[in-house]
Amino acid sequence: MMKYEVIVVGGGHAGIEAAHATAKIGHETLLITGNIRNIGDMPCNPSIGGTSKGVIVREVDALGGLMGKIADKSLLQMKMLNGSKGPAVQCLRSQADKEKYPANMQNALLNQEHLTLKEGLVEEIITSQNKIQGVVLEDGTEIFCESLILTTGTYLKSNILRGSESTEEGPHGERRSNHLSDDLKSKGFKIIRLKTGTPPRLDANTIDYSKLKEELVDDVKYSFSHDEEARYEVSKQEKCYLVYTNELTHEIIKANLKKSAMYGGYVSGVGPRYCPSIEDKIVKFKDKEKHILFLEPQSMEKGSKYYGALYLQGFSTSMPRDVQEEMVHSLVGLENAKILEYAYAIEYDAIDPLQVKPSLESKIIENLFTAGQINGTSGYEEAAGQGIIAGINASLKLKNKEPLILKRNEAYIGVLIDDLVTKGTIEPYRMLTSRAEYRLILRHDNADLRLRDYGYEVGLISKEAKERLDFKRKEIKRIKKSIQKEKIKKECLVDIIDNARTMSIYELIKRPLVDMDVLLKVVPTFKDVDKEILEEVIIDVKYEGYIEKTYRDAEKLLRMESKQIPADIDYDKVQNLATEARQKLKSVRPLTIAQASRISGVNPADISILLVYLKKEYGKNE
Amino acid sequence: MEDTICAISTPIGVGGISIIRVSGNESIEIVNSIFKGKDLEKSESHTINYGHIVENGEIIDEVLVSIMRKPRTYTTEDVVEINLHGGIATTNKVLKILLDKGCRLAEPGEFTKRAFLNGRIDLLKAEAVQDVINSENEFARKLSVGQLSGKLSQIVRELKNELIGLEANIEVNIDYPEYEDIEEMTIVKIRDKLADLSSLLENMIKEANTGKIIKNGIDVAIIGRPNVGKSSLLNALLEEEKAIVTDVEGTTRDIVEGKMILNGIAINFIDTAGIRETLDVVEKIGVEKSIKKILEVDLVILVLNGNEELTKEDENLLEKVRDRRHIVFVNKNDLPKLIDLDSGICAVYGNTKDLNGLDALKREIVDLFNVENIDKKDFTYISNARELSLIEKVKVSLDKALSSLDDGVPVDLIAIDLRTAREHLGELLGETFDEELIDELFKRFCLGK
């Protein structure tokens, strides 16, 4: 009988982090995937990071995950987004090589102790008394486990759609799982159908670049990893180009609308608002004369299927192939472009995330965890963030320890999971900075300060890395103290700031326009300080007022978080709750008053009623 | 929550009938137990039933009883209303019987509170209903009704939408920085918009004070040395207006000696008893206190005796009221004029004996508070302290955003101030707002890969 402590089903970005985490912690782990060569594949856009997503990558890295390090090793280009805006919203985005990224990832996993990779399609799960026991493969093989993590991505009953053409397969013609979602349904899971899409890939040699605008490339080096320096050469980054739709494009789309899978009625899944097809954009924003598109390289590895194939970001469509030809050729610069791979929409089964606990364990079956698109999200980074948490919590459960639940004021990953399990979703969920109410303290630069201790505690972060972190903390504290006392003479400042006078470095940092460059000029001792540490000090001082306000707001949340709702509460006994609120509370079963207050449809009035009831029924336990 | 409450819901002693309202799970059962007529527990919802209230077989009153079953009632609970014919004594008697049968006397506004807690009305409406119950005159009623129909809600909502629009635009620039075809919310654009909103709020706050006058009336203190004719003036004013002398609480928590209605606005005369004892040395401290209190009212009428020269005390009082809204009334102009007022002091001359100069005095009050123009305005004022304080907080946040912009603070931090402002507006409406920004983002902008 084959038995592992942990089985992970799926080798996408969620499955990788989950399997890597449990194996690294020391649990014998089996990762089952349809195709080992497809582990870490990037079926959609060729980039890792982006607004808010870039912070998630940093968080995964801070916790001890793989995504950031592998992305650093597979770069085509790296950019700091929102550089001109405040520190709260700066995020890294890399163009990742679609050949190198999976190859590097597979390499990392093959070298991971306690981890076994296996090819196969899981079609059933084995349970006993609502507790997970193992899985059944397509060929009938049974493999047993103590803990199971499902990260099936888009492969549950997936259909690829182009116009009226529909094929039962996953991305790249990979085989789909036909029965697993039915099996889950029969065991009490609510199955939802979601949809997403991807644009066409074009032959790089058939583009007229003279008609396109080049996107600017950053000239500063960055890395996602907290442990390794950036190694790429700034001047050797690959370029992206801007393309615009025009009147002709719009006419072609309007004339053929009914032929698209979406508008022809061939799709039942719900698509994401933030990732609309080009048809959607034209229908919903009639007045817009043109839409912006990006032409992005996918790989520089000669011999790769991605080499010389450009990704036309923003042009996702479910039109039939002939219409896609017409559409692409209507774009200026792409008149003669050859389509290497046609755009498609894909629909797939997912589970209702309201049936998932904040630990990512299922509410229905014990020791079953889910992460990534199966939980209704979209995006590599969102998947990875859930994957590492599912792995950590599967391990903690095996060790009979409390789960790691990141709060909304601790991590984007916390916001993501809380949103999912509290609000559910009807469309694939994508992270946005706007979703994080405490984003000023959930920054790119402080991911390690926020999360590394957790990673260390569970065993994903090495002792050396932990010591580096402690040193960083100490240094920040030391410098913050010294800048209060250390004064800069007026003479040194007259050429630099308005109304110069002798002032402390602390006061100087607070002045508008005083940044790292200015400080390095005026404060000689800063030259010896690590830039990361200095950056931390500058942000903390410069935005002190706002940061403190954010902490105060977060404390309010924590007070509400500390008001626990007993697991045995019977909402039918709470009188006067609005019907919708009662239903929502019964299905979500929030753990705290704070979580309850975030459920849409639960109003402040319902919360006060609930508070009164708790006080009455469960005594003065506040 | 589940106990049954009752209260007399019509003004006592006014009108021919009075109504007792009962709300809660047991309301129908309790009323039925003291009702002789149809079996109320079997009567359909929203019906009126004729019968008698009885106690120990004795008929207390002939009544009409309205049965309204949940949830389509004011509180969304079972509600019973008893229409009584009797006067105060009978109404009180029936109320007492209900209390004996297990009802609890409702706290002021508790029916409305339940309606709010049960999700039937939002906070603003709840407050407006309170105001209808409490309003004392026609304008106040209009003001309250204006709110109930959601006029203030509407303004607050519009304000909130403006903010969401601005925030959504800033957020889009943050979440989709590479979309160069989306309008960049520059510092200049944000500043212009915020300045507009801030001045709008300033007007609302200003108008709030007018709203307060409509709702609560103008608190007036009549002050002066003993025997200059303060009481006579008060009585003359009250007599002429045939106002009732009451002892209800005024808005400044002082005793109102009397009340008159001037152009539909209540004029509350605040008791200034303390000042009458000024001759008594022992009471000096008390007088100081009184004077301080007097300075908290909306209007001070300083009465002087025209038949006497100005005393030191008069001069002191003149000095005290100089920076306050005040009217000097020189009394006893039927006697020889001995007073010599500084030409800078604007005074109304008259005497209470012949009721002379009273119209001029009233004219002065009307002018001072622009009372005549109040009724021409749209009644969308902020009308209670909670609302006013929240609106003021909104303004503080927006002004902070404005000053931060000038200090070069990046827009994503400005967004924190805007969010705070929006939270206060949400609080004003008693709403949650979590998802609305995200929804707005995707409604307004074409985004995505």
Side-chain angles (χ1 to χ4, degrees), chain A residues 51 82 85-86 213 244 273-276 281 285 288 313 433-434 437 439 512 543 546 549 576 609 616, chain B residues 1-2 117-118 171 173-176 180-181 404 407 410 412-413 417 420 439 445-449:
Chain A
T51 50
N82 288 329
K85 301 191 182 88
K213 203 171 128 192
Y244 297 93
R273 282 175 296 181
Y274 47 77
C275 197
K281 292 185 194 179
F285 298 90
K288 241 183 143 180
Q313 164 147 262
T433 58
S434 343
E437 57 276 58
R439 66 181 176 207
Y543 306 110
Y546 282 100
K549 182 185 182 318
N576 298 323
I609 288 166
K616 225 162 61 183
Chain B
M1 227 18 102
E2 43 300 89
L117 282 179
N118 294 341
E171 296 300 320
N173 293 155
I174 291 169
D175 269 320
Y176 294 90
E180 53 166 39
D181 55 343
S404 294
D407 286 345
D412 50 296
L413 298 190
D417 291 321
T420 308
D439 289 341
F445 302 101
C446 179
L447 307 161
K449 303 175 173 189

Side-chain angles (χ1 to χ4, degrees), chain B residues 258-400:
Chain B
K259 185 180 285 243
M260 67 173 184
I261 307 290
L262 202 58
N263 285 34
I265 298 292
I267 310 291
N268 311 312
F269 291 101
I270 304 299
D271 183 23
T272 57
I275 237 167
R276 289 179 203 150
E277 319 297 335
T278 41
L279 282 184
D280 187 346
V281 183
V282 188
E283 295 273 334
K284 271 261 149 89
I285 299 165
V287 171
E288 284 304 311
K289 257 188 192 166
S290 283
I291 287 173
K292 205 175 152 206
K293 225 175 196 179
I294 283 161
L295 297 183
E296 286 166 9
V297 297
D298 301 311
L299 172 67
V300 179
I301 299 179
L302 172 59
V303 183
L304 300 173
N305 185 350
N307 187 229
E308 286 174 15
E309 286 185 29
L310 270 186
T311 66
K312 192 112 199 148
E313 212 175 337
D314 288 333
E315 279 171 16
N316 269 341
L317 289 172
L318 274 169
E319 180 65 26
K320 286 228 158 63
V321 299
R322 204 176 55 184
D323 296 332
R324 303 283 311 161
R325 223 185 307 219
H326 72 277
I327 301 172
V328 175
F329 182 74
V330 180
N331 198 8
K332 308 190 184 180
N333 73 346
D334 49 327
L335 299 173
K337 183 181 168 188
L338 295 175
I339 198 165
D340 184 20
L341 278 181
D342 210 66
S343 58
I345 295 170
C346 188
V348 177
Y349 290 83
N351 73 76
T352 49
K353 208 167 138 204
D354 313 326
L355 301 181
N356 180 291
L358 297 187
D359 285 337
L361 180 60
K362 281 185 258 178
R363 181 81 239 156
E364 192 73 13
I365 299 176
V366 168
D367 288 348
L368 260 179
F369 289 88
N370 203 14
V371 169
E372 278 185 331
N373 292 323
I374 283 175
D375 59 341
K376 295 186 188 109
K377 286 208 166 188
D378 203 8
F379 294 120
T380 52
Y381 310 102
I382 309 157
S383 57
N384 69 34
R386 176 182 156 274
E387 289 165 10
L388 184 58
S389 108
L390 281 168
I391 289 286
E392 276 167 351
K393 280 185 190 165
V394 174
K395 186 164 182 302
V396 167
S397 297
L398 295 189
D399 290 346
K400 167 129 193 295

Side-chain angles (χ1 to χ4, degrees), chain A residues 46-48 74-78 93-97 240 296-297:
Chain A
S47 73
I48 302 272
S74 322
L75 283 186
L76 294 175
Q77 189 204 92
M78 184 69 118
R93 187 191 60 202
S94 72
Q95 294 299 130
D97 190 308
C240 297
E296 304 176 342

Side-chain angles (χ1 to χ4, degrees), chain B residues 231-247:
Chain B
S231 303
S232 320
L233 177 63
L234 176 60
N235 289 334
L237 285 168
L238 292 183
E239 190 143 312
E240 183 155 278
E241 295 299 324
K242 294 184 178 53
I244 309 158
V245 180
T246 66
D247 59 355

